[in-house]
């Protein structure tokens, strides 16, 4: 049996962590034992460690910070390598994120890396142009040393093919979401939402990359009144977005929530105006739940739309008023949620993802 050591910067309820959780839950546990190593203290606001424990995954935590990982990468890598070799049999290390990728590139243990974002877009938007461009450069240098890089969309494969001269494997993110079978009126009552409103759901971090200001301005411009747009998430732009909404009661900020499936069950529409994504789990959760979607026309969103290939899931241009113009039609049309869900789960299945990672880990030497 092999031990899959999944390394992440921090345990928190975020896209890469949820991918790791689904890998651990769906990989062939008769052949592979999953273990998680977290480099930093857990995020106490958005915890996820309990989810790994529920499925019997061992977690080992270190107590590094961003700067120690950045400035002392070689020594940290050697300490981690020594710890893994001394404690686990037949290990394969899997990196998730920037620092884990830098660390595995310095290890002699068999390893792979799953790349979750487009570095030149994500790092610069999250860290600013100076630190961000430095991270892009360093990430690319270390990716060149990886023998088994995995990307999560065709768009990412095209981007990283010029950086990774080795073979790149595409494994789509998979989710286990399916339509929640509950009474909609009771759910709306539980969530304090009017039974007569059309519900628009927006999930994810409230940050510049998610471009939620475009969603707000377009919904205001639509001229529609009978909707409630609920934002689920936290982030640095929260106050800015609330100020942009003002006293408009068509918008609501519910913060970080763990019951996303309940919100998706009552949603008439899911909207994302994101400027950049790898392959967004939030969108996959929405379509697998059968929610009609309007998505910005960035390549990963277009890839999801093309793969699902069904009515009720489409893209819009963020350089035009297309979202405002199409809002009424999408909110009021009777889409087949069952069709959306079935077609999405045929492509973006967590079981399918688990089988592909099982085969990958078994073949790493």
């Amino acid at each position: 049996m092999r031990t899959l050591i999944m390394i992440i910067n921090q345990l928190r309820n975020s896209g890469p962590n949820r991918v790791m959780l689904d890998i651990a839950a769906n990989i062939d546990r008769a052949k592979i034992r999953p273990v998680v190593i977290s480099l930093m203290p857990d995020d106490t606001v958005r915890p996820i460690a309990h989810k790994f424990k529920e499925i019997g995954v061992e977690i080992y935590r270190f107590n590094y910070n961003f700067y120690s990982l950045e400035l002392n990468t070689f020594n940290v890598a050697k300490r981690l390598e020594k710890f893994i070799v001394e404690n686990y049999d037949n290990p394969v290390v899997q990196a998730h994120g920037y620092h884990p990728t830098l660390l595995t590139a310095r290890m002699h243990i068999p390893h792979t890396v799953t790349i979750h974002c487009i570095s030149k877009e994500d790092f610069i938007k999250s860290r600013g142009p100076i630190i961000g461009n430095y991270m892009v450069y360093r990430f690319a240098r270390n990716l060149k040393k990886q023998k088994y890089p995995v990307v999560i969309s065709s768009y990412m494969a095209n981007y990283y093919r010029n950086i990774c001269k080795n073979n790149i494997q595409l494994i789509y993110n998979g989710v286990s979401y399916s339509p929640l079978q509950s009474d909609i009126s009771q759910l709306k009552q539980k969530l304090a939402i009017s039974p007569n409103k059309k519900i628009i759901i927006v999930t994810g971090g409230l940050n510049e990359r998610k471009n939620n200001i475009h969603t707000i301005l377009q919904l205001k411009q639509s001229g529609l009144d009978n909707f409630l747009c609920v934002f689920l998430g936290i982030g640095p732009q929260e106050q800015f977005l609330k100020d942009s909404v003002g006293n408009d009661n068509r918008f609501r900020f519910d913060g970080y929530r763990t019951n996303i499936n309940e919100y998706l069950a009552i949603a008439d529409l899911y909207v994302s105006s994101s400027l950049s994504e790898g392959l967004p789990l939030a969108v996959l959760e929405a379509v697998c739940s059968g929610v009609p979607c309007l998505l910005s026309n960035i390549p990963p969103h277009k890839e999801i739309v093309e793969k699902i290939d069904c009515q009720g899931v489409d893209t819009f241009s963020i350089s035009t008023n297309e979202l405002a113009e199409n809002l009424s039609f999408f909110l009021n049309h009777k889409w087949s949620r069952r069709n959306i869900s079935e077609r999405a789960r045929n492509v973006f299945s967590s079981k399918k993802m688990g089988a592909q990672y099982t085969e990958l880990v078994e073949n790493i030497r």
Side-chain angles (χ1 to χ4, degrees):
M1 177 179 285
R2 303 204 81 167
T3 306
L4 177 63
I5 312 290
M6 299 184 287
I7 302 181
I8 191 84
N9 265 42
Q10 184 184 44
L11 282 172
R12 65 181 180 207
N13 196 344
S14 64
N17 276 270
R18 295 202 302 275
V19 170
M20 283 186 5
L21 182 63
D22 273 326
I23 291 172
N26 291 280
I27 207 162
D28 190 338
R29 300 282 281 269
K31 299 177 179 178
I32 298 166
R33 173 195 175 200
V35 172
V36 170
I37 288 181
S38 175
L39 301 174
M40 298 177 174
D42 294 4
D43 184 335
T44 57
V45 177
R46 296 176 290 171
I48 198 172
H50 62 287
K51 295 290 186 181
F52 286 97
K53 291 180 180 178
E54 286 171 5
I55 60 172
V57 176
E58 177 185 339
I59 299 173
Y60 195 92
R61 297 170 177 85
F62 287 84
N63 197 33
Y64 296 110
N65 58 41
F66 178 89
Y67 296 102
S68 61
L69 294 170
E70 189 66 37
L71 301 176
N72 199 23
T73 312
F74 179 82
N75 288 331
V76 172
K78 292 304 153 189
R79 289 187 204 122
L80 278 177
E81 185 171 34
K82 184 174 185 293
F83 171 80
I84 292 168
V85 169
E86 290 178 351
N87 289 278
Y88 301 104
D89 296 328
N90 201 13
V92 173
V93 176
Q94 183 185 43
H96 291 267
Y98 170 73
H99 284 122
T101 300
L102 270 55
L103 295 172
T104 56
R106 288 158 175 77
M107 294 181 184
H108 298 291
I109 305 171
H111 57 267
T112 179
V113 54
T114 295
I115 311 169
H116 294 273
C117 68
I118 300 294
S119 58
K120 72 176 180 181
E121 297 172 358
D122 190 66
F123 294 168
I124 293 171
K125 288 188 183 301
S126 63
R127 293 287 178 175
I130 297 176
I131 295 178
N133 275 303
Y134 166 75
M135 288 173 64
V136 170
Y137 167 75
R138 199 171 186 208
F139 190 64
R141 281 191 62 191
N142 285 273
L143 275 182
K144 291 178 181 178
K145 303 174 185 178
Q146 300 288 344
K147 290 178 64 177
Y148 302 95
V150 175
V151 292
I152 58 177
S153 68
S154 296
Y155 174 60
M156 292 178 65
N158 292 332
Y159 173 77
Y160 284 108
R161 191 163 282 119
N162 293 326
I163 298 172
C164 303
K165 302 304 180 183
N166 303 305
N167 182 43
I168 294 178
Q169 183 166 343
L170 169 60
I171 300 179
Y172 283 120
N173 286 343
V175 296
S176 55
Y177 267 64
S178 58
L180 182 63
Q181 304 299 323
S182 297
D183 184 272
I184 300 304
S185 60
Q186 289 183 0
L187 278 179
K188 283 189 173 182
Q189 185 177 11
K190 175 184 176 182
L191 299 172
I193 291 175
S194 168
N196 300 317
K197 295 283 188 181
K198 293 288 186 179
I199 308 303
I200 300 169
I201 299 296
V202 180
T203 60
L206 303 180
N207 53 50
E208 182 183 356
R209 181 170 63 86
K210 293 297 185 180
N211 196 26
N212 291 306
I213 187 61
H214 181 81
T215 300
I216 292 171
L217 295 177
Q218 286 289 292
L219 267 55
K220 285 188 172 188
Q221 189 170 324
S222 71
L224 300 179
D225 291 320
N226 192 36
F227 71 81
L228 175 67
C229 179
V230 183
F231 290 87
L232 302 172
I234 57 177
Q237 282 202 327
E238 183 172 350
Q239 192 57 52
F240 164 69
L241 295 171
K242 287 181 177 178
D243 291 342
S244 301
V245 166
N247 60 1
D248 192 332
N249 60 13
R250 295 174 299 175
F251 299 88
R252 201 171 93 179
F253 294 84
D254 279 15
Y256 171 73
R257 289 289 185 269
T258 57
N259 58 332
I260 301 295
N261 59 337
E262 294 182 345
Y263 284 89
L264 293 175
I266 64 167
D268 296 287
L269 183 65
Y270 179 95
V271 174
S272 171
S273 296
S274 186
L275 300 171
S276 173
E277 297 285 354
L279 193 76
L281 277 187
V283 174
L284 299 187
E285 290 166 356
V287 291
C288 286
S289 298
V291 183
C293 294
L294 276 173
L295 313 170
S296 57
N297 63 345
I298 58 175
H301 282 166
K302 291 196 288 187
E303 191 168 344
I304 292 172
V305 172
E306 290 167 2
K307 286 291 181 181
I308 296 175
D309 189 26
C310 72
Q311 294 183 334
V313 182
D314 210 343
T315 60
F316 61 88
S317 170
I318 56 176
S319 62
T320 68
N321 293 322
E322 203 170 351
L323 176 55
E325 293 165 356
N326 290 331
L327 187 63
S328 178
F329 174 70
F330 260 77
L331 272 179
N332 293 296
H333 191 81
K334 296 295 183 182
W335 305 105
S336 173
R337 294 176 69 108
R338 179 178 178 179
N339 188 44
I340 293 171
S341 175
E342 287 179 352
R343 294 183 74 91
R345 285 184 286 147
N346 282 339
V347 182
F348 303 110
S349 159
S350 56
K351 290 184 178 180
K352 183 177 180 179
M353 178 184 69
Q356 289 178 291
Y357 274 110
T358 297
E359 182 179 2
L360 172 68
V361 172
E362 286 190 299
N363 291 326
I364 291 177
R365 297 291 181 265

